[in-house]
Amino acid sequence: MVKDSVNGTMEVDLALLKSTKGLLKIAEAVCAFVAFVCYTVASRPPYIAATCMEFFITLGFLVLYLLKLNKMFTFIFWPLIDVFNSFFAAVLVCILSLIAVSTYTVKGTLGGGIVGLVAATLWCLDGYILFKKITFNKPRTTTVVT
């Protein structure tokens, strides 16, 4: 439990770390970080910036869900924002990785490109799973039984 000035405590959702959603977010963050390190070693600034940005955004979503901040800030529909981010990240990193793999001169660029393609696949999977769970025409409190 983390101290909160309003309620006294803030819940931490440790079950998220064992769920599919949590494991996907962790895998995405790890892949983005590894690609970032590879591009940094290869000294490729455009690739460094994109992978660093996506690493921090993915890490932000992981912290948001881990600390249950998405339940505190209900004025934003977080699953939809997460779906948009997942698909945007997948497209951006896939394009950059394909360019990196096809034009590499340093092994670090090739490694970052390959790991970036794995990360793009994970973001696509994450976006697809999240999109399947979103219901636009029902209140947030109801659950759909499939």
Side-chain angles (χ1 to χ4, degrees):
M1 292 269 181
V2 178
K3 289 288 184 186
D4 184 8
S5 62
V6 178
N7 299 329
T9 60
M10 178 181 284
E11 292 183 57
V12 177
D13 187 11
L14 294 178
L16 175 79
L17 299 176
K18 296 178 183 176
S19 69
T20 304
K21 180 180 185 179
L23 291 174
L24 270 173
K25 290 288 178 206
I26 292 169
E28 292 164 5
V30 167
C31 285
F33 184 73
V34 169
F36 164 74
V37 169
C38 289
Y39 291 139
T40 303
V41 169
S43 195
R44 303 296 295 227
Y47 304 130
I48 293 170
T51 54
C52 184
M53 176 186 71
E54 289 304 332
F55 168 72
F56 281 115
I57 291 172
T58 303
L59 194 63
F61 275 110
L62 182 63
V63 169
L64 178 90
Y65 294 133
L66 188 63
L67 297 178
K68 294 186 178 182
L69 296 174
N70 58 327
K71 297 191 189 303
M72 286 176 50
F73 303 114
T74 58
F75 55 89
I76 297 175
F77 189 52
W78 291 107
L80 188 61
I81 301 290
D82 200 0
V83 167
F84 283 142
N85 174 61
S86 294
F87 287 131
F88 176 77
V91 169
L92 175 69
V93 172
C94 184
I95 291 170
L96 285 177
S97 296
L98 288 173
I99 293 170
V101 167
S102 65
T103 63
Y104 81 95
T105 55
V106 180
K107 298 277 186 196
T109 307
L110 178 64
I114 292 169
V115 174
L117 289 171
V118 172
T121 305
L122 290 171
W123 274 308
C124 281
L125 180 63
D126 188 22
Y128 175 74
I129 290 171
L130 283 169
F131 187 75
K132 293 290 282 184
K133 289 183 179 181
I134 293 177
T135 57
F136 293 104
N137 57 354
K138 297 192 171 131
R140 292 185 191 178
T141 57
T142 61
T143 58
V144 177
V145 179
T146 56

